[in-house]
Amino acid sequence: MISRIYITPKGNDMRGKLYMDSFKKLGFSSKISNVLLLDSYLISHKFYNTKFLKIAEALTNPIIENFSINKIPENYLKDCSYIIEVGYLPGVTDNVAHTTKETIIDLLHLKKDSDLAVYTSKVFLISGSLDLDDIQKIVSSLYNPLIERAYIVKNKKGEKIDLPLKAPKVILEKRIP
């Protein structure tokens, strides 16, 4: 079972403002109205919902952050035009994910060799009058395609938006010459 935990800021998050400033320097100053940044943890394990709640609480600083499980909070989506997820490619070391996995193992008293897997990513919610070409230029400034992947979703008002619950695993195939 795979679930996703989103960590959202309670107040103003300066990271979004910094990214918005950098996007404006790319020539999108009149097209972008807001940028919000969420942290995402994709967790693969057979946990009950109460365990995911406990994990989400452990990953969140309750003074400055909120969390949601398996859905981006509606108030973040209402003015958003595009959602961009940037995470590591399969096989690339994700140090935050390793630390998070160790935290979960300690928190829930799991065995070190359990089938728990954790993957992290950043989720950008961009508002404005942008087209797909604009978003692709912005995305190319956000990630290194040698080690990271990017996933773009256009937020169509009134439709349910979910990022994929698919683990970025390495799959080795035997090739026959």
Side-chain angles (χ1 to χ4, degrees):
M1 174 184 208
I2 298 177
S3 289
R4 188 186 292 266
I5 298 171
Y6 294 101
I7 307 296
T8 58
K10 278 188 177 177
N12 291 331
D13 184 8
M14 289 307 297
R15 299 177 305 167
K17 292 185 187 329
L18 292 172
Y19 277 106
M20 191 160 91
D21 290 343
S22 71
F23 299 155
K24 286 181 177 181
K25 289 177 186 172
L26 292 172
F28 298 108
S29 57
S30 63
K31 293 185 173 188
I32 295 179
S33 58
N34 197 21
V35 176
L36 297 171
L37 185 61
L38 313 178
D39 296 312
S40 170
Y41 298 87
L42 197 63
I43 300 171
S44 175
H45 195 278
K46 294 175 185 165
F47 289 130
Y48 294 107
N49 287 343
T50 55
K51 299 285 187 187
F52 274 112
L53 184 62
K54 191 172 184 177
I55 293 166
E57 289 170 348
L59 295 175
T60 306
N61 179 339
I63 295 171
I64 60 170
E65 297 172 325
N66 290 316
F67 67 85
S68 64
I69 299 173
N70 290 333
K71 64 181 179 179
I72 298 172
E74 289 295 321
N75 59 323
Y76 281 81
L77 291 173
K78 71 177 175 185
D79 295 325
C80 169
S81 305
Y82 284 91
I83 302 165
I84 302 165
E85 179 185 24
V86 175
Y88 289 104
L89 286 170
V92 175
T93 300
D94 182 345
N95 288 317
V96 175
H98 285 298
T99 303
T100 303
K101 181 178 177 179
E102 291 299 317
T103 300
I104 294 168
I105 287 170
D106 289 346
L107 178 70
L108 301 178
H109 308 290
L110 302 174
K111 294 179 181 176
K112 295 263 187 212
D113 62 348
S114 71
D115 62 346
L116 172 66
V118 179
Y119 310 91
T120 64
S121 62
K122 297 284 185 210
V123 178
F124 297 84
L125 306 174
I126 300 178
S127 304
S129 57
L130 299 154
D131 60 28
L132 189 56
D133 288 337
D134 296 335
I135 286 298
Q136 288 174 336
K137 289 175 189 169
I138 288 171
V139 168
S140 68
S141 74
L142 289 175
Y143 81 115
N144 178 347
L146 295 175
I147 61 169
E148 295 171 308
R149 59 182 167 72
Y151 181 76
I152 303 169
V153 178
K154 181 166 179 47
N155 186 12
K156 297 173 185 160
K157 307 298 184 219
E159 287 187 19
K160 185 181 176 199
I161 300 291
D162 287 319
L163 292 176
L165 294 176
K166 185 177 179 198
K169 293 183 179 181
V170 174
I171 300 172
L172 299 175
E173 295 178 0
K174 183 177 178 180
R175 294 185 182 216
I176 301 172

